[in-house]
Amino acid sequence: MEFAELASEKEAEESHRQDSVNLLTFILLLTLTILTIWLFKRRRVRFLHETGLAMIYGKALRIRRPTRAAPPLCVTFDPEVFFNILLPPIIFHAGYSLKKRHFFRNLGSIITYAFIGTATSCFVIGNLMYGVVKLMQLVGQLTEKFYYTDCLFFGAIISATDPVTVLAIFNELHADGDLYALLFGESVMNDAVAIVLSSSIVAYQPSGANTHMFDASAFFKSVGVFLGIFSGSFVMGAATGVVTFTKLHCFPLLETALFFLMSWSTFLLAEACGFTGVVAVLFCGITQAHYTYNNLSDESTKRTKQLFEVLHFLAENFIFSYMGLALFTFQNHIFSPIFIIGAFFAIFIGRALNIYPLSFLLNLGKRHKIRGNFQHMMMFAGLRGAMAFALAIRDTATYARQMMFTTTLLIVFFTVWVFGGGTTPMLSWLHIRVDVDSDQDLHKTKQESAWLFRQWYTFDHNYLKPILTHSGPPLTSTLPSYCGLLASCLTSPQAYESHEQLTDPDADLIRGDADLTFTFSDTAILTNGADAAFASGGSGWSANGKRSGSTSEEALERETDSREQELLSRGTRLVFPIEDHI
């Protein structure tokens, strides 16, 4: 009995030591990656991104095969840890650091590429891969079952793009903001669509003996699952972001900690309720950046930005490091040359049928077209990365899933190294602008913003911002007079105290007309000197002395937050007209 206890204690001690070695090895690996990144930045090396470096170092790393005496650390090998620990900060940072001006100006295009484009890519790749599977059966290269639903599932997970390398180079070179927004917005949104789409395909269960044939009722059930999961996750994420209303200004450490915990718990809450944490935490980040960020103390705003940026950096590089390691440590790789080559052709065709036809249709109704060189760059930048890998490694129990995982790993390696490394030459070859000032396009007209967003902006600025934040006009100036008591209760006291109560960081999303306004208290005055009724929603006066039908919403749309062209004096904000160069 004593001998058994001694052996058990010795086994536990050895396991603890091995776990420490594994963690230390990965920490040293990340340290080496950071030092190499620093060297590359000093030398202005752009042919290889930090994620590619992490993959190379992961390949060079060797950890001995685990035994019963020394089982592997769960952080290193457990797929659920990727999903619950490493993915949330990556996705949240994408939403929290969103550049709203360019994102919302291209909102319609981004949604089209993310939803219709990802679904198109999924079904194109799935059907092409089903043909590849049939070919493998003919030549005797398929040893076990590989169903049509498996091909669709592969199409869903491999449609999740992650152009982190391209976007990092874009950011460093200050490439065109609209192109950056299209790529970034599509990659963020289509990650969410891909994971919900894959869940819907898994939920596809036809009735009858053959559970892998097409069944109309099962198909519409899967569509319902897709809509239900996505909308439920969206509502949960947005609601959690809105209720994160902190009043701990005097204690920035506690405020930052509460913000962090509320953000992370959104992901886990959605997963626990049967929704998708990726979608929930994405929209939680967008909502918190829009509302909660305005309520944080100055110190907490800096802390939260830096905290999630560091977590995003470490988590992403950890995942890419493990990709390099998994190429050698994963025990059930299935390398099928026909399947791998077919997958490369399928994702190329699927990406092309996503970008070019949708761009053509979008350009039919756009005043400012998506130019051909932008479309080629979007086609080139369809890299695969952390999301595709995480979805593939989550389930490797069957023969089909093991083959998908191996192929996904190789696709991520190839796209990150080849396409990521070729970003700078491609920008030059396609004559895409670099060194662009992010604020130089403030002169673009308000028609560039989506009509739906312009309506939402007016409602948000007049009613939601005053309730949920300390910015925006007091509700007493936007609600009818008979709602005065309710408006006084819901408006934050800081909204009355602030001299810049009408300064909205999102005002640049709505382009102004030739005549802009400056505001003091509840009165708006045109730059030509005429008064306009602002708070009451009444009519204003034009330059020729005639009354204009300018309402509070129209006056609001004529605002801009261009700080270089503002003149602040005695609580009055003067905004000069911006010349339209289009």
Side-chain angles (χ1 to χ4, degrees):
M1 185 69 177
E2 292 181 358
F3 179 77
E5 292 180 356
L6 183 62
S8 177
E9 291 179 1
K10 186 175 181 180
E11 181 178 339
E13 183 180 353
E14 179 66 24
S15 174
H16 173 73
R17 185 180 295 110
Q18 182 61 35
D19 291 346
S20 301
V21 170
N22 289 347
L23 270 181
L24 177 62
T25 305
F26 270 96
I27 289 174
L28 293 176
L29 181 64
L30 290 175
T31 303
L32 180 61
T33 303
I34 291 172
L35 294 176
T36 310
I37 293 169
W38 169 77
L39 180 63
F40 275 30
K41 288 185 179 294
R42 284 196 63 186
R43 302 290 182 180
R44 298 185 181 275
V45 176
R46 298 192 182 98
F47 68 88
L48 187 61
H49 187 250
E50 58 209 40
T51 52
L53 280 172
M55 294 172 74
I56 292 175
Y57 290 145
K59 285 181 62 178
L61 183 64
R62 295 291 187 273
I63 296 180
R64 69 182 179 85
R65 185 172 299 177
T67 62
R68 289 184 177 179
L73 182 66
C74 65
V75 171
T76 309
F77 297 98
D78 188 352
E80 288 305 311
V81 172
F82 279 98
F83 235 78
N84 295 327
I85 304 298
L86 298 177
L87 272 185
I90 296 176
I91 302 300
F92 180 84
H93 179 264
Y96 195 57
S97 62
L98 192 68
K99 295 181 178 180
K100 291 181 287 185
R101 178 191 307 148
H102 295 287
F103 179 84
F104 285 112
R105 195 165 68 210
N106 297 279
L107 183 62
S109 301
I110 290 171
I111 291 177
T112 302
Y113 288 126
F115 283 86
I116 300 178
T118 304
T120 300
S121 176
C122 167
F123 285 101
V124 169
I125 294 174
N127 283 281
L128 290 175
M129 293 311 298
Y130 188 63
V132 172
V133 167
K134 289 298 183 182
L135 176 63
M136 293 172 64
Q137 288 178 338
L138 289 176
V139 298
Q141 293 294 317
L142 199 66
T143 59
E144 294 187 27
K145 298 292 184 180
F146 205 120
Y147 298 104
Y148 178 67
T149 50
D150 294 324
C151 295
L152 287 180
F153 179 81
F154 178 72
I157 64 174
I158 208 64
S159 294
T161 61
D162 186 16
V164 57
T165 307
V166 175
L167 293 176
I169 295 175
F170 275 24
N171 196 45
E172 184 178 351
L173 295 177
H174 303 287
D176 188 281
D178 287 327
L179 178 59
Y180 183 96
L182 287 172
L183 281 172
F184 180 79
E186 184 214 2
S187 67
V188 169
M189 295 292 289
N190 92 333
D191 281 353
V193 174
I195 189 173
V196 179
L197 197 58
S198 62
S199 300
S200 303
I201 293 172
V202 171
Y204 177 79
Q205 295 179 345
S207 57
N210 194 339
T211 60
H212 295 277
M213 295 296 291
F214 178 79
D215 183 86
S217 61
F219 172 77
F220 286 110
K221 180 182 177 182
S222 295
V223 173
V225 169
F226 175 87
L227 296 176
I229 292 178
F230 195 94
S231 58
S233 302
F234 166 77
V235 171
M236 182 172 290
T240 309
V242 167
V243 300
T244 312
F245 193 98
T246 66
K247 291 188 177 182
L248 308 177
H249 291 79
C250 298
F251 306 97
L253 178 61
L254 300 180
E255 188 177 38
T256 304
L258 178 62
F259 185 92
F260 171 79
L261 293 175
M262 288 294 292
S263 306
W264 205 307
S265 63
T266 303
F267 182 93
L268 301 177
L269 179 63
E271 291 290 329
C273 293
F275 296 113
T276 300
V278 170
V279 179
V281 80
L282 170 64
F283 287 102
C284 176
I286 295 174
T287 306
Q288 287 183 337
H290 190 61
Y291 296 112
T292 312
Y293 185 82
N294 296 316
N295 299 326
L296 299 176
S297 62
D298 292 338
E299 188 173 350
S300 294
T301 56
K302 297 176 183 178
R303 285 184 175 183
T304 53
K305 283 282 188 182
Q306 294 170 353
L307 173 64
F308 283 104
E309 186 175 4
V310 170
L311 289 175
H312 162 263
F313 173 83
L314 292 177
E316 191 167 59
N317 280 279
F318 187 95
I319 289 178
F320 278 93
S321 298
Y322 182 70
M323 288 185 199
L325 178 65
L327 191 62
F328 299 97
T329 59
F330 185 65
Q331 301 299 311
N332 299 308
H333 276 305
I334 298 178
F335 292 93
S336 173
I338 297 178
F339 191 86
I340 293 170
I341 295 173
F344 273 100
F345 278 104
I347 64 172
F348 179 83
I349 296 172
R351 183 69 178 171
L353 293 178
N354 172 358
I355 298 299
Y356 294 116
L358 291 181
S359 298
F360 173 78
L361 294 175
L362 287 169
N363 283 338
L364 294 178
K366 287 177 70 71
R367 178 181 176 184
H368 298 275
K369 311 295 184 184
I370 302 174
R371 300 194 300 270
N373 57 347
F374 279 24
Q375 298 177 37
H376 299 327
M377 192 68 218
M378 292 179 68
M379 173 71 191
F380 179 83
L383 284 69
R384 271 59 177 180
M387 179 58 69
F389 174 78
L391 289 173
I393 199 176
R394 201 175 189 186
D395 181 7
T396 56
T398 65
Y399 171 84
R401 297 297 176 88
Q402 291 166 5
M403 187 181 295
M404 292 180 204
F405 173 71
T406 302
T407 305
T408 300
L409 197 59
L410 293 175
I411 290 173
V412 172
F413 270 60
F414 181 82
T415 56
V416 169
W417 286 345
V418 176
F419 292 105
T423 300
T424 303
M426 184 60 69
L427 284 172
S428 177
W429 186 64
L430 293 175
H431 304 290
I432 293 175
R433 296 183 305 163
V434 294
D435 295 324
V436 178
D437 184 1
S438 60
D439 292 326
Q440 75 172 13
D441 57 353
L442 286 176
H443 62 271
K444 291 190 177 181
T445 59
K446 67 180 182 180
Q447 282 77 15
E448 286 185 84
S449 301
W451 175 86
L452 181 61
F453 176 72
R454 294 202 304 273
Q455 306 307 311
W456 161 255
Y457 171 82
T458 303
F459 175 78
D460 176 63
H461 183 275
N462 286 347
Y463 305 110
L464 294 184
K465 278 280 184 75
I467 296 175
L468 300 174
T469 73
H470 307 314
S471 63
L475 287 175
T476 52
S477 65
T478 57
L479 286 176
S481 58
Y482 56 81
C483 298
L485 180 61
L486 178 63
S488 300
C489 295
L490 294 179
T491 302
S492 169
Q494 288 86 341
Y496 296 103
E497 299 171 2
S498 175
H499 288 296
E500 295 181 38
Q501 61 185 18
L502 293 180
T503 302
D504 191 340
D506 297 328
D508 62 339
L509 302 176
I510 307 299
R511 303 295 175 235
D513 294 328
D515 289 330
L516 300 179
T517 65
F518 72 88
T519 59
F520 176 74
S521 183
D522 294 338
T523 303
I525 304 176
L526 296 176
T527 52
N528 55 24
D531 292 345
F534 180 76
S536 63
S539 300
W541 294 90
S542 62
N544 56 12
K546 297 181 179 179
R547 296 184 67 87
S548 63
S550 178
T551 64
S552 61
E553 290 81 3
E554 292 169 344
L556 177 63
E557 286 186 351
R558 291 195 293 268
E559 288 188 33
T560 180
D561 71 340
S562 179
R563 294 183 179 178
E564 294 81 359
Q565 295 169 308
E566 290 184 356
L567 198 161
L568 299 175
S569 175
R570 299 181 184 176
T572 301
R573 186 162 67 92
L574 175 62
V575 185
F576 294 104
I578 300 176
E579 183 180 355
D580 191 351
H581 297 286
I582 298 178

